[in-house]
C-alpha cells in the first residue's frame, strides 16, 4: 500500500475487516515485519488517541516510532509555496519533508483543515506535499478532509457489535462551541457508503457534506426522524462546507440525549473522541452500557496496525 487516505486505498472491506480481527486476536504475530524499520509521526495539531494508538501499532509490528510535534519541538514550518518567508516560520515543508523521508520508511501526518481556504484544504495541500517530496508511504492521521484510521476503527467496531446483516447507521451532526473540521464525518460517510450498511446523515440545513464523501447516503434534516430504528448512532460536530468553516447552528436540541436514543432500535452510541459532554452527548448516554466510545478508541490500534502491516509488506 502506497498511501492511506481513502477507503479505496485499503481494497475490499471484507478482507480488511478479517485482517483487522486477526491482528486484534494476535497483535504480536507480525513483529518480524517491522524489524529495523522506522515510522515518523508528524503532528501539526493536538492528539491523544492517534498519537498513542499509532505508536502502539508500530511497536506491535516491531517498528521504531518517532514522534515530531511541529510548532512545539521543531522549527515552525511554512506550508504554502511561493511565499516570502520573513515571518515566524523558519523552515519550508519543501526541505523538511525530504529530510524526514530520509530518516524513515513510513510517514504519518496529522494536519487539520485551516477552515479558511476551502480550495487549499480540499486539495489536501499539506498531505500531498508529503506524498510528493518524501518518496515514502504516507498515512493520514487526520488531514484536512479525511480521518481514515478513525473510520476504519469505526467500521471494525460496527462489525463487532452489529446484530443484523445490514445495520442502520445514523451519522448525526451535534452542536459544538467551535468550528470543527469535516474530516471525521467525511471519512465516516465515505467508509459507511462502501460498507454494507444503511447510512443516514442527519444535519441542520447548511451542513451538507461534500458530495464526494456523502455519496448516496440518505440525508435527513429532522434528527428524530433519522434516528428512528437506528442500530448505531454516530454523533459528530462539523462546520459548514457551503459557508466554509462557519458555525451556522448552535441548536442544543441536537445534543444526543436519552430522548433521542429512545426512538432508536436500542442503538449503540459512537463518537470518535474527544467529546464535549452535555454539548454533543448527555452524560446519561455516554455513560450508558450502549456507549461504544472506549472499545471504538481501543480499535484505533488495530486499524492503524493493518495499514502499517500492509505498507511494510509492500516496501
Ligand atoms: C477534531 C475534529 O476533527 O473534530 C479531532 C477529532 C478526532 N476535534 C477537535 O478539534 C475537538 C476540539 C474541541 O475543542 O472540542
Amino acid at each position: 500500500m502506497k498511501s492511506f487516505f481513502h477507503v479505496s486505498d485499503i481494497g475490499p472491506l471484507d478482507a480488511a475487516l478479517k485482517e483487522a480481527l486477526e491482528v486484534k486476536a494476535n497483535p504480536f504475530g507480525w513483529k518480524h515485519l517491522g524489524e529495523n524499520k522506522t515510522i515518523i509521526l508528524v503532528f501539526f495539531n493536538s492528539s491523544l488517541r492517534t498519537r498513542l494508538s499509532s505508536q502502539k501499532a508500530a511497536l506491535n509490528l516491531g517498528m521504531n516510532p518517532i514522534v515530531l510535534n511541529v510548532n512545539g519541538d521543531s522549527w515552525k514550518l511554512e506550508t504554502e509555496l511561493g511565499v516570502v518567508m520573513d515571518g515566524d516560520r523558519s523552515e519550508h515543508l519543501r526541505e523538511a519533508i525530504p529530510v524526514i523521508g530520509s530518516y524513515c520508511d513510513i510517514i504519518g501526518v496529522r494536519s487539520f483543515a485551516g477552515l479558511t481556504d476551502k480550495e487549499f484544504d480540499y486539495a489536501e495541500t499539506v498531505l500531498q506535499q508529503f506524498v510528493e517530496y518524501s518518496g515514502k508511504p504516507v498515512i493520514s492521521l487526520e488531514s484536512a478532509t479525511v480521518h481514515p484510521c478513525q473510520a476504519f476503527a469505526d467500521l471494525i467496531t460496527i462489525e463487532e457489535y452489529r446484530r443484523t446483516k445490514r445495520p442502520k447507521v445514523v451519522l448525526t451532526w451535534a452542536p459544538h462551541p467551535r468550528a470543527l473540521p469535516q474530516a471525521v464525518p467525511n471519512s465516516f460517510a465515505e467508509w459507511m457508503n462502501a460498507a454494507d450498511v444503511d447510512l443516514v446523515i442527519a444535519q441542520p440545513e447548511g451542513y451538507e457534506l461534500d458530495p464526494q464523501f456523502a455519496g448516496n447516503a440518505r440525508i435527513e434534516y429532522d434528527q428524530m426522524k433519522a434516528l428512528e430504528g437506528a442500530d448505531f448512532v454516530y454523533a459528530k460536530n462539523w462546520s459548514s462546507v457551503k459557508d466554509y468553516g462557519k458555525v451556522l447552528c448552535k441548536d442544543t436540541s441536537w445534543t444526543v440525549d436519552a430522548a433521542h436514543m429512545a426512538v432508536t432500535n436500542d442503538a449503540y452510541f459512537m463518537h470518535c473522541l474527544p467529546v464535549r459532554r452535555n454539548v454533543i452527548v448527555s452524560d446519561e448516554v455516554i455513560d450508558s452500557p450502549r456507549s461504544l466510545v472506549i472499545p471504538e478508541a481501543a480499535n484505533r490500534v488495530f486499524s492503524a496496525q493493518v495499514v502499517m502491516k500492509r505498507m511494510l509488506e509492500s516496501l
Side-chain angles (χ1 to χ4, degrees), residues 147-148 150-152 154-155 158 169-172 182-194 197 199-201 209 213 232-235 270 296:
H147 195 0
Q150 180 65 50
F152 187 13
D154 296 333
L155 181 65
I158 289 172
V169 177
V170 180
L171 164 62
T172 179
Q182 296 107 29
V184 170
N186 280 349
S187 283
F188 187 75
E190 184 191 53
W191 283 66
M192 290 304 127
N193 276 320
V197 307
L199 176 66
V200 178
I201 306 177
L209 294 172
F213 298 108
F232 293 89
V233 175
Y234 194 97
M270 298 177 73
E296 185 183 353

Side-chain angles (χ1 to χ4, degrees), residues 110 112 142 147 176 178 180-181 184 236 272-274 276:
R110 162 153 293 193
F112 285 175
E142 187 173 341
H147 195 0
H176 195 283
R178 294 176 47 209
L180 297 187
V184 170
K236 183 70 186 86
C272 63
L273 306 180
R276 304 263 189 147

Side-chain angles (χ1 to χ4, degrees), residues 163-164 227-232 261-268 290:
R163 295 157 295 181
T164 55
L227 292 171
E228 280 170 19
D231 296 297
F232 293 89
M261 297 305 283
V263 304
T264 69
N265 180 26
D266 198 17
Y268 288 106
R290 308 308 286 174

Side-chain angles (χ1 to χ4, degrees), residues 8 15 33 37 41 56 63 77 88 118 129 134 138 154 160-161 166 204-205 216 241 244-245 260 264 274 280 287 311:
S8 53
L33 274 180
K37 297 284 190 283
L41 304 166
K56 176 67 175 140
M63 262 196 288
L77 298 180
D88 66 339
K118 185 183 174 200
Q129 291 186 67
S134 74
V138 176
D154 296 333
E160 289 176 320
Y161 286 87
R166 194 163 188 275
E205 292 278 353
N216 295 325
V241 179
Y244 193 62
H260 291 79
T264 69
I280 298 281
D287 291 331
M311 285 181 170

